[in-house]
Amino acid sequence: MIHLKTPIDVSRLKELTVGDKVLISGTIYTARDQAHMRLIEDENPAFDLEGSVIYYVGPTPARPGQVIGSSGPTSAYRMDSLATPLMKRGVKIMIGKGNRSEAFRKSMVENNAIYMIATGGAGALLSSKIKSSKVLMYEDLGTEAIYELVVDEFPCFVAYDLHGNQIFKGGTS
Amino acid sequence: MREISLDEVTRIVKESLIKINYELDNSLVTMLKKAKDKEKSELSKSILDDILTNQELARQGNSPLCQDTGVAVVFAEIGQDVYYNGPLDEAINRGVRQAYDEGYLRKSVVKHPFDRQNTQDNTPAILHTKVIPGDKLILKIASKGAGSENMSKVVMLTPNAGIEGVKKLVLDTVFDAGGRPCPPIIVGIGIGGNFEKSALIAKEAILRDLNDESSDPIIRNLERELYDEINRLGVGPMGVGGETTCLAVKINTYPMHIASLPVAINIQCHSARHIEVTL
């Protein structure tokens, strides 16, 4: 079990290998397709991308008094062609589910970043690791807005590491 | 003629959608537990453990099983001796609207392929109707997520492709999908009909009882063979490798043109959320 705190200390990413269970604590940011498209064009985002963690998720609505609704990962491959510009601006960890393209994997290694997966379809469990939540950017996107989440030991597995390994059996890009 | 109250239809649709998004079917839970016991690696075991813990938490009624609470898919089998005092489709959509609002479910439907504006109430449902004899209304109601739906396909094979051609197509489709559709999956296969009919019967196949088998001996055998061969692919839970890639294979068939062998493969994630209600 490896513990990582945000912002991510890049020097620690080399220690990680495929299949490692990592518990992330600190502040992370949600972004899906629409938010990526805007963020790429946004010169003044409301958070520092350097050392940041992006979680691919669109939560269900929170009940009154609840921090956040169900919050499991969405398929990461949809963000493959949108990820490089954000990694170039400092994004260090992306959390999603499922295989991604070879082009993405190469770009990820070049940019010293890591792709992790969280258990897909475990949104109720994963939301219990989220301690606070607020809409930070692009509120009009609803569930696809960028949320700032404070997480405590958010559980992920390293899917692609910096040594060229990948976790998946099957899956074409 | 028997009148069925549209308010009752709305209520059933609403309650069903809320229920399936919080309570995973018990026979599915049993299958997932067996799958967990079968896994050899700590990683794949721990993923199935997460899925099982998740369904326990969701059952408490605060957070839905998955953040993708899907598009509502409704198969309405309408008895020809039933009368409705108004439009049935509106009653169903009203139920969808109420469920996604009152059940704190995610509204995931956009109106237009390119402007992508959310309809804000998860309508319209994808509604399929069929006329049946009698005075009952059978509603098969599902919340279908996009992760697995996006890995589905329709292919027009030629008749000489035969059983081997169908098997290769299914195995390639499941392998190429890898971890993206949230395995362990349920594979719904439609063989025959035409282009659109194959897709429709594949979707209906997903809604079959988890423990049933085809009554056609050739098809039953194919379901069993594909179940074994898919699990030998080793894709495993969430694609990280393992013993269980699929929990079930369901095949529906329909007569077809002499020149055609349409095959539709509709993939269902492990969070299979559907229910059947008869009014």
Side-chain angles (χ1 to χ4, degrees), chain A residues 32 58-64 66 70 72-73 75 77 97 99 119-125 143 157 167-172, chain B residues 22 43 46 50 54 57 61-67 104-106 150-151 175-180 182 234-235 238-241 270:
Chain A
R32 293 171 44 111
T60 59
R63 287 172 185 274
Q66 200 180 19
S70 195
S75 294
Y77 75 95
K97 71 173 172 80
N99 320 66
T119 300
L125 173 65
T143 185
F157 303 99
I167 201 170
F168 298 108
K169 306 288 182 292
T172 51
Chain B
Y22 287 87
L43 179 57
S46 97
D50 281 354
N54 184 68
L57 285 173
N62 293 317
S63 295
L65 286 153
C66 181
Q67 76 292 335
Y104 291 87
L105 306 179
R106 193 181 82 185
N150 284 347
M151 297 293 113
F175 189 76
D176 290 350
R180 282 172 290 200
C182 286
V235 170
M238 294 312 295
V240 303
H270 60 73

Side-chain angles (χ1 to χ4, degrees), chain B:
Chain B
M1 295 293 270
R2 171 180 170 233
E3 182 174 346
I4 292 183
S5 142
L6 290 175
D7 286 346
E8 182 68 355
V9 171
T10 297
R11 186 183 68 79
I12 293 288
V13 170
K14 177 182 99 173
E15 288 177 359
S16 298
L17 285 166
I18 293 175
K19 181 183 167 68
I20 59 180
N21 274 288
Y22 287 87
E23 298 171 28
L24 207 59
D25 177 64
N26 284 325
S27 49
L28 180 53
V29 174
T30 305
M31 279 187 179
L32 287 164
K33 282 181 180 158
K34 281 186 190 156
K36 184 188 143 191
D37 292 341
K38 234 190 277 177
E39 288 299 336
K40 291 168 183 150
S41 84
E42 281 308 309
L43 179 57
S44 39
K45 246 188 212 306
S46 97
I47 285 173
L48 287 168
D49 201 45
D50 281 354
I51 292 168
L52 286 161
T53 308
N54 184 68
Q55 66 84 25
E56 283 173 20
L57 285 173
R59 210 172 281 274
Q60 293 169 9
N62 293 317
S63 295
L65 286 153
C66 181
Q67 76 292 335
D68 185 355
T69 51
V71 171
V73 179
V74 179
F75 282 84
E77 298 182 7
I78 305 167
Q80 60 189 12
D81 300 328
V82 181
Y83 162 78
Y84 306 95
N85 188 22
L88 179 62
D89 59 339
E90 283 179 20
I92 290 171
N93 277 315
R94 204 157 45 237
V96 171
R97 195 173 295 123
Q98 291 175 5
Y100 279 74
D101 187 30
E102 295 171 33
Y104 291 87
L105 306 179
R106 193 181 82 185
K107 288 117 186 152
S108 308
V109 175
V110 296
K111 199 175 204 164
H112 187 278
F114 305 119
D115 79 12
R116 313 287 305 171
Q117 292 298 311
N118 198 299
T119 63
Q120 303 292 350
D121 62 4
N122 221 55
T123 67
I126 309 278
L127 174 61
H128 306 292
T129 55
K130 194 185 324 187
V131 176
I132 55 169
D135 64 356
K136 299 273 193 287
L137 170 67
I138 302 170
L139 294 173
K140 297 176 181 170
I141 300 166
S143 283
K144 186 68 168 72
S148 56
E149 194 75 357
N150 284 347
M151 297 293 113
S152 304
K153 63 166 76 154
V154 176
V155 177
M156 304 304 284
L157 293 179
T158 51
N160 66 14
I163 285 191
E164 288 312 309
V166 171
K167 278 171 90 170
K168 183 177 185 315
L169 178 65
V170 173
L171 291 170
D172 287 351
T173 301
V174 171
F175 189 76
D176 290 350
R180 282 172 290 200
C182 286
I185 54 176
I186 293 155
V187 187
I189 303 169
I191 308 176
N194 59 1
F195 181 75
E196 80 275 9
K197 184 70 177 178
S198 64
L200 206 57
I201 61 178
K203 175 72 87 252
E204 279 186 292
I206 284 176
L207 306 183
R208 276 169 46 191
D209 186 284
L210 258 186
N211 292 302
D212 78 355
E213 288 192 303
S214 174
S215 55
D216 173 332
I218 297 173
I219 299 302
R220 183 165 63 237
N221 195 42
L222 185 56
E223 287 179 345
R224 289 177 184 175
E225 281 180 11
L226 276 171
Y227 172 85
D228 289 339
E229 289 178 38
I230 288 169
N231 283 322
R232 278 203 290 275
L233 292 173
V235 170
M238 294 312 295
V240 303
E243 305 300 307
T244 303
T245 301
C246 78
L247 297 165
V249 176
K250 304 288 180 188
I251 305 175
N252 285 358
T253 66
Y254 197 85
M256 71 219 79
H257 192 283
I258 48 173
S260 289
L261 179 57
V263 182
I265 301 157
N266 196 194
I267 298 183
Q268 169 63 60
C269 65
H270 60 73
S271 200
R273 290 153 289 173
H274 56 87
I275 196 166
E276 183 176 322
V277 184
T278 301
L279 278 87

Side-chain angles (χ1 to χ4, degrees), chain A residues 112-165:
Chain A
N112 271 309
I114 292 277
Y115 170 48
M116 298 190 189
I117 54 171
T119 300
L125 173 65
L126 291 167
S127 68
S128 71
K129 312 293 176 185
I130 299 170
K131 301 305 164 190
S132 78
S133 156
K134 68 171 186 201
V135 175
L136 189 66
M137 299 169 74
Y138 318 141
E139 191 164 12
D140 61 297
L141 292 179
T143 185
E144 296 204 64
I146 293 184
Y147 288 70
E148 182 183 272
L149 308 179
V150 175
V151 295
D152 184 32
E153 303 198 332
F154 190 87
C156 305
F157 303 99
V158 177
Y160 296 168
D161 65 23
L162 288 174
H163 315 290
N165 307 306

